[in-house]
Amino acid sequence: MSRRRSGGCSGASVRAAFVILTVALSTVLGTCSVDDISSSNELFASSSSSSPTASSRPARSEQLLLVSSSSLTTERSRRTPLKMSVEQELDAARAAIQRAARRRRRRRRVVDPAGRGSGNVTTADEWFEAGVDHALVASVYRNPAAFHRSYREMERRFKVYVYEEGEPPILHAGPCKDIYTIEGRFIEQLELMAPPPPAGGGGGARTSDPARAHAFFLPFSVSKMVQFAYRPDTYDKTPLRAIVADYVRVVASRHPYWNRSAGADHFMLSCHDWGPEASRGHPELHANGIRALCNANTSEGFRPGQDVSVPEINLYTGDMPRQLLAPPAPPLASRPFLAFFAGGRHGHVRDLLLRRWKGHDPDVFPVYEHEHEHSHGRRQQDGAPLDYYWYMRRARFCLCPSGYEVASPRVVEAIHAECVPVILSDGYALPFADVLRWEAFSVAVPVADIPRLREVLERIPAPEVERLQRGVRLVKRHFMLHQPPERLDMFNMILHSVWLRRLNLRLNR
């Protein structure tokens, strides 16, 4: 049935009404010029028979109405764009990041008049550059332009759904005042993050609409499982695996999202040494899920391309020690110690370090077995005793050996003290390494070279040490915890690491 017949309008009065309505619509929209109407007539005519008769063509008034209706539809779609699906959003983000990376590669050989690399960051956003020399940015970040775009895309798009099943203390809670602090703080901050209203806008990464989520968070705390479900001195991790298995079965039975991806878009976070073991409670979580772990040991199954390495931080009071936050950190000229370590004999790496270097040269290379040993009754100028952080702020290098597991809170403490971290570990996948080039602000020494450790550090030229310290100063913002979280801090860098896993994208050069 034709449009003319369906309308039942063949008289002159009806045509006049069409013309009036068309003129009114055109006036409101302001989109239909004479040329538009003319070309629309040609398009309409081309779809009719090859030799149309006058009676078979639509009346002029109907042509005008059709054009105006089409313009109205276009205008509406322009004002209310269709929502992209989750996968379309991920595709769009990948494309934007890849474009930024290509621009960066094209410009990487450009040199400015001062002889420094330029073109590494494609925008002048102060929150990212912060007035830092581009050459330093280029040396510390694997691909500054790609990271900048990826972070912006995360802020714009990334949504995480937090499962509501379960009760504290094992679910929706975690430790906030010990060596596993980041586990509790991450859960807390994500839980406190108010989802945006249904109409959109506002809020952070958390969403209350699982259909819009790019990732799903399993809010259990392995540290709390150990506290409440583990039988001391048994080393039996079965209760931990059972809790994880039960929780995954619950959310999989109540929601379609786990079974849809076999857990590939779900993530957990644990800073306890037994986090990797707890993840084995559910085969799909262990095989397919994103495991954010402090114990990021590649020799024990950590997968850098799929899992997320989380910095370990020890907050005895829940806040950063004031000694590390007191600005400014001393420059290299005011750091008399080549390197510093104080700690217990936990694990074979520390045992080797202490057997070789404990008490060897406390005036230049102080290595102590216990944190209280380094004082020896000595005091600062203001009379306060020399504490652990005083030494860190006066050493050029801070030794960060593995303990029973690969991670050490000394890495973060060293960065806060602007002391170059010396990573003494085998198999440690360092945090945020898909964004940061750790060799630009730290020194990695194989465990086998610990007997030569002092010689290795003394051979590093002073200009190189200064460059490493500038790198430490630049990345410090990524290892700070804020409440509420701030842009580029540790909480958001962990989220960004999960975001990259969902994109399945590498930001290498």
Side-chain angles (χ1 to χ4, degrees):
M1 183 178 294
S2 69
R3 183 180 296 271
R4 179 190 299 271
R5 292 186 62 184
S6 65
C9 301
S10 56
S13 60
V14 176
R15 291 194 183 96
F18 279 159
V19 172
I20 293 171
L21 178 59
T22 300
V23 172
L25 287 170
S26 300
T27 302
V28 172
L29 295 173
T31 57
C32 296
S33 66
V34 173
D35 293 336
D36 292 333
I37 296 173
S38 175
S39 27
S40 295
N41 289 341
E42 294 172 3
L43 180 62
F44 190 92
S46 66
S47 64
S48 61
S49 60
S50 58
S51 57
T53 63
S55 61
S56 64
R57 291 182 180 178
R60 176 68 171 178
S61 59
E62 286 185 324
Q63 294 175 18
L64 289 170
L65 181 60
L66 290 173
V67 171
S68 298
S69 299
S70 175
S71 300
L72 179 59
T73 302
T74 303
E75 182 69 16
R76 283 175 177 168
S77 64
R78 193 178 294 127
R79 283 180 294 187
T80 57
L82 294 175
K83 283 187 177 181
M84 301 174 72
S85 70
V86 168
E87 289 303 321
Q88 286 173 330
E89 286 188 317
L90 294 175
D91 287 341
R94 287 188 201 100
I97 297 165
Q98 289 166 346
R99 284 195 300 270
R102 286 195 295 269
R103 286 196 298 270
R104 190 262 174 184
R105 285 195 294 268
R106 285 197 299 268
R107 300 178 186 180
R108 64 186 297 183
R109 293 195 175 99
V110 178
V111 177
D112 66 16
R116 299 175 306 211
S118 65
N120 295 298
V121 181
T122 58
T123 75
D125 286 340
E126 292 184 0
W127 64 266
F128 179 64
E129 293 185 19
V132 180
D133 174 39
H134 279 197
L136 179 61
V137 172
S139 69
V140 169
Y141 294 93
R142 294 189 178 278
N143 191 317
F147 170 57
H148 176 268
R149 174 49 54 189
S150 175
Y151 196 92
R152 291 294 297 269
E153 291 293 324
M154 179 192 77
E155 289 185 318
R156 176 186 175 192
R157 303 179 189 274
F158 192 39
K159 295 299 176 186
V160 176
Y161 180 76
V162 182
Y163 284 110
E164 298 179 354
E165 284 77 7
E167 297 291 339
I170 291 177
L171 279 302
H172 306 286
C176 292
K177 294 183 179 181
D178 61 17
I179 198 170
Y180 309 124
T181 291
I182 189 60
E183 186 173 307
R185 288 286 287 270
F186 185 87
I187 295 173
E188 177 188 66
Q189 294 296 346
L190 201 53
E191 295 267 357
L192 290 175
M193 191 176 287
R206 187 181 173 195
T207 179
S208 58
D209 181 4
R212 302 302 307 164
H214 305 90
F216 298 81
F217 181 54
L218 303 166
F220 53 71
S221 168
V222 176
S223 300
K224 291 295 185 180
M225 292 181 199
V226 173
Q227 180 180 351
F228 291 102
Y230 169 70
R231 293 187 296 275
D233 302 324
T234 64
Y235 294 96
D236 180 10
K237 305 177 186 71
T238 303
L240 282 59
R241 292 191 293 266
I243 292 172
V244 170
D246 288 343
Y247 191 73
V248 172
R249 279 196 290 268
V250 167
V251 298
S253 65
R254 295 184 180 181
H255 307 273
Y257 308 104
W258 180 277
N259 295 324
R260 181 183 65 184
S261 66
D265 52 2
H266 288 58
F267 73 103
M268 58 168 281
L269 186 143
S270 173
C271 210
H272 196 279
D273 292 351
W274 293 347
E277 186 65 29
S279 72
R280 295 179 181 273
H282 195 281
E284 288 181 338
L285 173 61
H286 185 262
N288 307 328
I290 301 169
R291 302 178 305 160
L293 304 169
C294 288
N295 186 10
N297 191 340
T298 56
S299 68
E300 296 179 358
F302 182 88
R303 305 152 298 189
Q306 179 175 331
D307 298 324
V308 171
S309 177
V310 175
E312 190 170 87
I313 185 169
N314 194 352
L315 301 184
Y316 299 98
T317 66
D319 297 312
M320 287 301 303
R322 57 177 179 78
Q323 300 95 317
L324 292 180
L325 297 178
L332 287 179
S334 300
R335 292 175 180 257
F337 304 120
L338 174 65
F340 167 69
F341 172 79
R345 198 179 292 263
H346 304 153
H348 73 283
V349 178
R350 292 194 189 187
D351 181 66
L352 178 59
L353 175 67
L354 290 168
R355 281 192 289 108
R356 176 63 182 86
W357 294 108
K358 176 185 174 182
H360 184 75
D361 190 353
D363 292 330
V364 178
F365 200 80
V367 174
Y368 302 104
E369 183 168 356
H370 299 289
E371 294 183 7
H372 66 271
E373 285 185 352
H374 52 68
S375 166
H376 292 294
R378 299 161 64 186
R379 293 184 175 273
Q380 304 178 47
Q381 291 181 352
D382 61 1
L386 302 182
D387 64 8
Y388 177 80
Y389 302 115
W390 183 91
Y391 273 86
M392 294 192 90
R393 287 168 60 87
R394 282 157 183 80
R396 280 163 276 170
F397 297 98
C398 288
L399 308 182
C400 306
S402 296
Y404 291 125
E405 299 296 346
V406 290
S408 169
R410 285 167 179 77
V411 176
V412 173
E413 292 168 346
I415 291 173
H416 287 182
E418 297 185 12
C419 177
V420 178
V422 178
I423 311 300
L424 301 172
S425 178
D426 290 332
Y428 184 24
L430 291 161
F432 315 141
D434 39 15
V435 169
L436 303 175
R437 297 178 64 238
W438 277 80
E439 62 269 27
F441 58 93
S442 70
V443 176
V445 178
V447 173
D449 287 340
I450 286 179
R452 300 177 48 249
L453 181 57
R454 179 168 178 172
E455 177 188 353
V456 170
L457 298 179
E458 287 179 333
R459 285 187 174 183
I460 301 176
E464 175 68 7
V465 179
E466 291 177 358
R467 184 189 67 82
L468 291 170
Q469 191 186 43
R470 288 198 301 272
V472 169
R473 202 172 292 124
L474 178 61
V475 304
K476 184 194 287 191
R477 56 185 172 176
H478 301 317
F479 295 89
M480 302 292 291
L481 272 178
H482 299 284
Q483 199 168 11
E486 296 180 7
R487 181 178 258 169
L488 292 171
D489 71 356
M490 190 188 299
F491 173 85
N492 282 302
M493 288 297 288
I494 294 171
L495 275 183
H496 181 261
S497 296
V498 177
W499 164 245
L500 285 181
R501 271 70 183 168
R502 286 294 292 119
L503 290 173
N504 193 22
L505 195 63
R506 298 176 67 87
L507 300 185
N508 291 340
R509 295 181 181 275

